[in-house]
Amino acid sequence: METLMILLVGVLISIGTYLILSRRLLRIVLGSSLISHAVNLLLITSGGLKTGAAPLLSEKTKQFTDAIPQALILTAIVINFAVTALVLVLGYRAYQSYGTDDMEQLRGNEYE
Amino acid sequence: MATFYIFMFLPFFSALLVPFLYKYLNRQIHTGWFVLLAPLSILIYLLQYIPSIAAGETYKFTLSWIPTLGIDITTYVDGLALLFGLLISGVGALVIVYSIFYMSKGREALHHFYVYLLLFMGAMLGLVFSDHLLVLYGFWELTSVSSFLLIAYWYERKSSRQGALKAMLITVIGGFGMLAGFIMLIMMGDTYSIREIIAQVDVIQQHSLFIPAMLCILLGAFTKSAQFPFGIWLPDAMEAPTPVSSYLHSATMVKAGIYLVARMTPIFGGSSVWFWLVAGVGIITLLYGSLSALRQTDLKALLAYSTISQLGLIMSLLGVGSLAVYFGPGEQGTVFTVATFAALFHLFNHSTFKGSLFMVVGIIDHETGKRDVRYLGGLMQVMPITFTIAMIGAFSMAGLPPFNGFLSKEMFFGAVTELAHVSTFGLESIGILFPIIAWVASIFTFVYCMIFVFKTFGGKYHPEKLTRKVHEASLGMLFAPMVLGLLVVLIFFFPNVLGKYILAPALTSVLPMMPVTAYDLKISAWHGFNMELLMTIGVVVIGFLLFKSAKRWVRVIRNYPQELTLTHLYNIALPAMEKGAASLTNRYMTGSLRHYLSYIFSFFVMLLLGSLLLLYGIQFDFSNNASISLFDVGLVLVMIIAALTVLFTNHRVVAIVALGAVGYMVSMFFVIFRAPDLALTQMVVETVTTVLFLLCFYHLPKLKKDIERIPFKLTNLIISLAVGLTVTILALSANGHKLFEPITSFFENAFELAGAKNIVNAILVDFRGFDTMLEISVLAIAGLGVYVLIHQRSKRREHDETE
């Protein structure tokens, strides 16, 4: 199962990287969202999969799944949401100000 | 001890006072009169050391500065340092007297001038008295900085600024090289003190850093002393006021490199590399400087090249003298000890006559408004005293009796002819070249000295070419060059007074291994009919013939193409370097986000994949894996399809919905991996994110098909596949290895420790509550950011509408 998950993560990261390298602003945001999903999955995979019950003490069992990656991912999801929201609004504002979402046209190296 | 430091730092203290003196007293009294007190008192103080130093004593003082790092202002007073100290304070005092009459009280910014000059004087004194290598370096750079300020004194002129920049660049590059060499010396000797390094010279000569340290230190010495090919800054430094040229660029600063070479001779002398570099570069500089001086029509430029040439002479003598270290005490060693003595003697002589010559040029410039030989002539009758001083200085430079230059040039010829008899260092084959080059260069020297005197003062007087009514300079202005001219003559008649009290102890510092008695006699043996005298007669005869026929051949030298000079090389190299750096930067700093991301990703892949491959980190272990059910495979497939849809769709809504599908699949995974809180959060956040995307997309343009070229897509594909592969391999290799037991079991005590049954929530708010607090701040900041971005826009729109 872990191997399968890691392969999935690899595929998601490849797709996300390809999207990030493209020219459209919206695609870049989509790509970064995909990558963050992949990272969250990788985090939970690293704690070991399907080894016990959900980490709730009311479960009458000896073995729970690893709770630490879950706590980390929970934090990561929220932060990622905040960043995505901000980047989306930024992209929206950039489009409003410059009239384009093409990153090649948004280059900042020429001071006209 | 304290007295010594007071006098050593006196120029710095005085520099602090100068602006106040200028502000309150300059209208009545020229500021220079106050400044004069500093070098005069230093000179008088240093004179007291002469008897005891001549008797063989040395003094060592220590002033604590950074004791924990072993950095103290250690000074060491011996013959060599005293010789330089006397030159610096003595010529300094004379230059200040001269500048009082040269620099106008009303027109010039004297407070700047004297602050820089005193700063330079202090730096130079610190340089020659320092025994600590790093402190020496500090003073060395201070001389570069103050010289930079002085060259650009008339900063409103472009040529001054360019000359200052050039001098700064070249001497600072050399200074850095010297610092590197010093650090290597410190590593080799495990001490900062020059004297302690000299004491363990046997160990250092065997060290592998010996040659690199020597080369670096020589770079510093050659740039400072304007040796070939670094001498190009000196002629441009002539944009400085003439007192500065006279002080810095003839008598003191350019001799800092000479001082360094002399100081380092006990360490590096005796090695063939040292001999060839110092003597070889010196003799080439001698020839190059004397030839270039012939091409000049500007008197100051002529003197600048002659300074380069004379410094080359001193440098080559020091190189020849280093053979004494190789031979050691004995007959042959004694012969080359005399060469070192000649170097020190000529060093002193050059300071006297070159200082006076610069002052003479300053007087001519001041009185006639011109310093180009093509406009001048026949000044002999108008300015008889100036003419006499110029003649004394120039004839001394040419090596004629009865002036001191004659003595040192004879000794120079004696030293280089001696090289023809040496059979080490490969000298047996080309050693004969040294006397020949020296002789030819001396002829050129003779010719330009004659041009200097007779083109300026001889011939016909042309008052119509000059802008001012010419008359003899004031006595105050003539005082300093008169004193120097008097010294030139006095040293010729009484060389042994100088030799015994000042030069002999200096020689002991340069060559501490030679017994004093061996060369004691040689100093007085300054006349006799020998090879050297014949060479001098040859110089005079051929030089005179060349001077008489100068009209015919000097054109040939003057027409030497400007494109082939070192200055031209510098002038094209500097913009070329700037252009090269700019084009290199522009090539990779394109401003395109994609390029930067490509660099980052490529570097990431190369570093991680490379280290995994090189360190044999790729080891897979699948034994602990959980089982796979058909349901899992289905989820994975759905997820990949959704992700590919995001990639390939041209429709905004489809892309957003597919991304949402990926997110919901993730929360499905959280369900089967038994993470209920995660599943819940992921579901909610994904919903909100999708809504946000849908809100934004309304305002964003249509996701058009990118009109990208195939190579663009191909490189993106390769990079993204490589990144995915790297992550996969890294995760797979890491997955099978468990170095330590996880600490999860501790958190299973959540109920006992925190009173919570949900372990994840207990971690979030109790065990690791800090993370959560900051995460809340992140959310708050993002919320504020979104608000400000939207709000600011609407405000600007209102603003635009009102206008």
Side-chain angles (χ1 to χ4, degrees):
Chain A
M1 187 69 215
E2 278 89 343
T3 314
L4 185 68
M5 288 309 291
I6 288 170
L7 289 176
L8 173 66
V9 165
V11 171
L12 286 183
I13 285 193
S14 279
I15 295 173
T17 312
Y18 189 88
L19 283 169
I20 280 187
L21 286 171
S22 64
R23 295 167 65 152
R24 300 284 157 196
L25 201 59
L26 187 62
R27 282 177 149 242
I28 291 173
V29 184
L30 291 172
S32 71
S33 273
L34 271 184
I35 286 184
S36 61
H37 286 318
V39 170
N40 287 347
L41 286 179
L42 189 59
L43 263 177
I44 200 161
T45 309
S46 68
L49 298 173
K50 293 188 180 177
T51 48
L56 298 169
L57 290 175
S58 49
E59 304 263 333
K60 297 282 176 264
T61 177
K62 286 257 159 149
Q63 207 181 9
F64 299 103
T65 50
D66 201 335
I68 297 172
Q70 296 192 11
L72 296 180
I73 293 168
L74 203 59
T75 314
I77 290 172
V78 176
I79 292 176
N80 189 48
F81 167 67
V83 172
T84 307
L86 191 65
V87 170
L88 266 177
V89 176
L90 259 178
Y92 160 66
R93 287 283 287 117
Y95 180 67
Q96 284 226 315
S97 303
Y98 300 106
T100 179
D101 69 332
D102 187 343
M103 290 314 288
E104 295 299 301
Q105 287 172 20
L106 286 172
R107 285 186 187 197
N109 63 338
E110 278 152 36
Y111 304 102
E112 290 123 324
Chain B
M1 178 196 129
T3 337
F4 185 83
Y5 282 106
I6 289 172
F7 280 98
M8 193 169 123
F9 291 119
L10 188 62
F12 297 122
F13 300 139
S14 330
L16 287 177
L17 285 178
V18 163
F20 299 102
L21 292 170
Y22 177 79
K23 192 176 175 191
Y24 296 110
L25 291 170
N26 188 53
R27 264 184 227 133
Q28 293 92 44
I29 309 165
H30 195 286
T31 314
W33 290 114
F34 302 105
V35 176
L36 182 61
L37 292 175
L40 264 188
S41 46
I42 296 168
L43 181 66
I44 291 164
Y45 177 73
L46 287 178
L47 284 174
Q48 295 170 0
Y49 278 91
I50 291 179
S52 54
I53 298 272
E57 279 182 57
T58 55
Y59 298 89
K60 186 176 178 254
F61 306 109
T62 308
L63 185 68
S64 187
W65 184 22
I66 316 175
T68 46
L69 295 178
I71 298 176
D72 297 310
I73 304 177
T74 321
T75 54
Y76 181 62
V77 188
D78 63 351
L80 186 66
L82 188 67
L83 165 66
F84 273 89
L86 290 171
L87 276 179
I88 293 159
S89 52
V91 180
L94 289 172
V95 161
I96 288 173
V97 172
Y98 177 72
S99 72
I100 291 170
F101 296 93
Y102 185 86
M103 307 292 282
S104 155
K105 195 164 68 174
R107 285 197 305 273
E108 302 286 359
L110 288 177
H111 50 318
H112 293 173
F113 182 76
Y114 285 114
V115 167
Y116 302 158
L117 201 67
L118 283 169
L119 210 61
F120 171 78
M121 192 184 288
M124 203 63 206
L125 281 173
L127 169 68
V128 297
F129 285 115
S130 286
D131 186 49
H132 194 287
L133 281 171
L134 293 183
V135 175
L136 196 159
Y137 171 74
F139 283 120
W140 181 281
E141 289 301 351
L142 197 54
T143 62
S144 293
V145 171
S146 50
S147 157
F148 169 78
L149 292 170
L150 281 167
I151 296 170
Y153 170 71
W154 287 310
Y155 54 83
E156 65 278 7
R157 296 183 193 170
K158 189 165 181 254
S159 53
S160 293
R161 297 195 301 268
Q162 279 177 342
L165 180 69
K166 195 175 184 181
M168 185 75 165
L169 278 177
I170 293 177
T171 54
V172 165
I173 286 172
F176 275 133
M178 194 187 78
L179 177 64
F182 279 177
I183 290 171
M184 288 187 227
L185 259 190
I186 292 165
M187 283 161 66
M188 284 190 279
D190 200 25
T191 170
Y192 291 108
S193 161
I194 299 174
R195 280 181 325 125
E196 286 169 27
I197 288 171
I198 292 174
Q200 45 181 320
V201 71
D202 298 336
V203 188
I204 288 171
Q205 274 168 351
Q206 309 302 321
H207 204 282
S208 55
L209 284 178
F210 181 68
I211 298 289
M214 178 201 291
L215 297 179
C216 287
I217 290 175
L218 276 184
L219 179 70
F222 286 169
T223 49
K224 198 77 159 182
S225 281
Q227 297 295 297
F228 187 84
F230 309 111
I232 51 171
W233 64 267
L234 188 61
D236 288 8
M238 291 303 129
E239 296 298 332
T242 303
V244 173
S245 310
S246 170
Y247 188 40
L248 273 69
H249 306 125
S250 72
T252 51
M253 187 179 90
V254 287
K255 300 218 166 85
I258 304 272
Y259 168 80
L260 190 70
V261 168
R263 218 5 132 207
M264 295 289 154
T265 297
I267 302 171
F268 296 113
S271 128
S272 65
V273 183
W274 178 266
F275 166 79
W276 276 110
L277 273 177
V278 177
V281 170
I283 204 106
I284 290 170
T285 312
L286 168 64
L287 188 66
Y288 161 79
S290 58
L291 253 177
S292 304
L294 283 175
R295 297 174 47 213
Q296 310 304 321
T297 52
D298 179 6
L299 287 176
K300 261 182 122 175
L302 188 148
L303 286 184
Y305 280 108
S306 93
T307 302
I308 293 178
S309 158
Q310 301 282 311
L311 290 169
L313 191 158
I314 301 171
M315 197 63 96
S316 69
L317 273 174
L318 280 177
V320 176
S322 74
L323 279 176
V325 184
Y326 177 78
F327 289 116
E331 199 191 331
Q332 237 176 340
T334 311
V335 170
F336 292 110
T337 309
V338 175
T340 309
F341 183 78
L344 296 170
F345 190 30
H346 196 70
L347 172 95
F348 193 94
N349 293 346
H350 178 250
S351 297
T352 55
F353 64 69
K354 192 53 66 70
S356 74
L357 284 178
F358 268 111
M359 292 177 189
V360 163
V361 172
I363 290 171
I364 295 170
D365 194 8
H366 200 267
E367 301 304 327
T368 66
K370 291 268 187 284
R371 43 172 224 238
D372 194 314
V373 282
R374 286 170 298 188
Y375 297 97
L376 299 169
L379 295 177
M380 202 188 292
Q381 291 87 4
V382 198
M383 305 167 80
I385 306 175
T386 317
F387 166 67
T388 315
I389 299 165
M391 199 184 67
I392 292 172
F395 284 7
S396 175
M397 183 155 73
L400 297 177
F403 307 109
N404 59 6
F406 172 72
L407 301 179
S408 40
K409 183 127 340 171
E410 294 283 283
M411 292 168 91
F412 170 59
F413 283 151
V416 287
T417 43
E418 207 57 49
L419 278 181
H421 312 306
V422 179
S423 53
T424 43
F425 293 169
L427 273 169
E428 57 273 11
S429 47
I430 55 171
I432 190 73
L433 274 179
F434 275 90
I436 293 173
I437 296 176
W439 190 67
V440 172
S442 295
I443 294 173
F444 291 140
T445 307
F446 183 86
V447 176
Y448 72 67
C449 288
M450 293 306 115
I451 290 176
F452 179 83
V453 177
F454 292 109
K455 293 278 174 195
T456 321
F457 295 96
K460 278 192 192 128
Y461 180 43
H462 299 288
E464 73 280 358
K465 283 186 186 173
L466 304 172
T467 44
R468 296 179 198 169
K469 179 111 178 59
V470 182
H471 51 78
E472 183 60 276
S474 68
L475 200 64
M477 213 179 210
L478 286 168
F479 173 76
M482 263 155 67
V483 172
L484 287 172
L486 200 64
L487 266 178
V488 169
V489 182
L490 277 182
I491 290 169
F492 176 80
F493 289 108
F494 308 101
N496 288 318
V497 181
L498 178 75
K500 191 176 165 203
Y501 286 103
I502 295 173
L503 297 180
L507 184 57
T508 319
S509 332
V510 182
L511 301 172
M513 66 293 292
M514 305 301 288
V516 182
T517 46
Y519 47 81
D520 211 23
L521 284 170
K522 286 275 183 182
I523 301 173
S524 49
W526 55 268
H527 50 71
F529 193 76
N530 48 19
M531 181 68 186
E532 291 93 298
L533 195 62
L534 277 176
M535 283 170 84
T536 304
I537 293 169
V539 165
V540 173
V541 172
I542 297 179
F544 185 72
L545 290 175
L546 276 177
F547 172 64
K548 277 291 157 198
S549 59
K551 274 206 177 109
R552 276 170 225 149
W553 56 265
V554 100
R555 198 170 297 142
V556 180
I557 302 183
R558 289 218 176 119
N559 286 347
Y560 177 80
Q562 195 64 38
E563 285 73 34
L564 294 178
T565 56
L566 289 168
T567 312
H568 183 71
L569 189 70
Y570 169 89
N571 287 341
I572 54 171
L574 211 58
M577 264 154 62
E578 285 170 1
K579 230 172 122 183
S583 76
L584 182 71
T585 311
N586 285 338
R587 195 159 297 156
Y588 72 90
M589 298 300 285
T590 51
S592 156
L593 184 67
R594 179 181 162 259
H595 287 159
Y596 300 152
L597 284 171
S598 310
Y599 308 148
I600 294 170
F601 284 133
S602 311
F603 191 72
F604 165 81
V605 168
M606 277 192 292
L607 198 71
L608 282 182
L609 214 54
S611 57
L612 276 174
L613 287 170
L614 289 175
L615 305 171
Y616 308 104
I618 304 180
Q619 285 169 337
F620 300 141
D621 176 13
F622 302 119
S623 55
N624 287 326
N625 280 5
S627 58
I628 305 174
S629 69
L630 199 63
F631 185 61
D632 304 332
V633 179
L635 273 184
V636 168
L637 281 180
V638 170
M639 202 152 174
I640 291 177
I641 290 167
L644 287 174
T645 313
V646 177
L647 183 62
F648 286 115
T649 184
N650 295 325
H651 232 277
R652 291 175 297 175
V653 185
V654 177
I656 290 165
V657 170
L659 184 72
V662 174
Y664 288 122
M665 288 304 126
V666 171
S667 79
M668 285 302 282
F669 273 116
F670 288 151
V671 171
I672 58 169
F673 294 149
R674 296 172 181 87
D677 303 283
L678 289 188
L680 201 65
T681 317
Q682 176 70 29
M683 195 83 84
V684 174
V685 165
E686 198 54 46
T687 311
V688 179
T689 313
T690 309
V691 169
L692 205 70
F693 266 106
L694 288 173
L695 263 178
C696 261
F697 101 99
Y698 178 76
H699 297 283
L700 285 176
K702 290 210 163 62
L703 201 63
K704 278 172 291 191
K705 182 111 187 120
D706 282 338
I707 29 160
E708 287 153 355
R709 281 163 289 124
I710 299 293
F712 183 90
K713 285 187 170 174
L714 206 62
T715 41
N716 287 1
L717 186 69
I718 292 169
I719 291 172
S720 49
L721 284 180
V723 170
L725 189 72
T726 310
V727 172
T728 313
I729 292 178
L730 189 70
L732 280 177
S733 316
N735 191 45
H737 298 274
K738 204 177 243 180
L739 292 174
F740 310 103
E741 274 303 305
I743 56 163
T744 318
S745 50
F746 170 76
F747 295 109
E748 285 167 9
N749 302 324
F751 189 70
E752 290 82 48
L753 294 171
K757 288 191 173 174
N758 186 332
I759 301 176
V760 174
N761 287 359
I763 292 174
L764 282 174
V765 298
D766 192 303
F767 294 112
R768 298 177 56 91
F770 232 128
D771 290 357
T772 311
M773 191 182 83
L774 296 174
E775 166 202 339
I776 292 167
S777 345
V778 169
L779 209 56
I781 293 167
L784 279 174
V786 169
Y787 173 76
V788 168
L789 277 173
I790 304 281
H791 188 64
Q792 201 188 24
R793 183 214 58 181
S794 55
K795 252 171 84 177
R796 191 199 284 168
R797 188 172 286 166
E798 282 164 23
H799 187 69
D800 288 348
E801 277 164 8
T802 50
E803 270 183 5

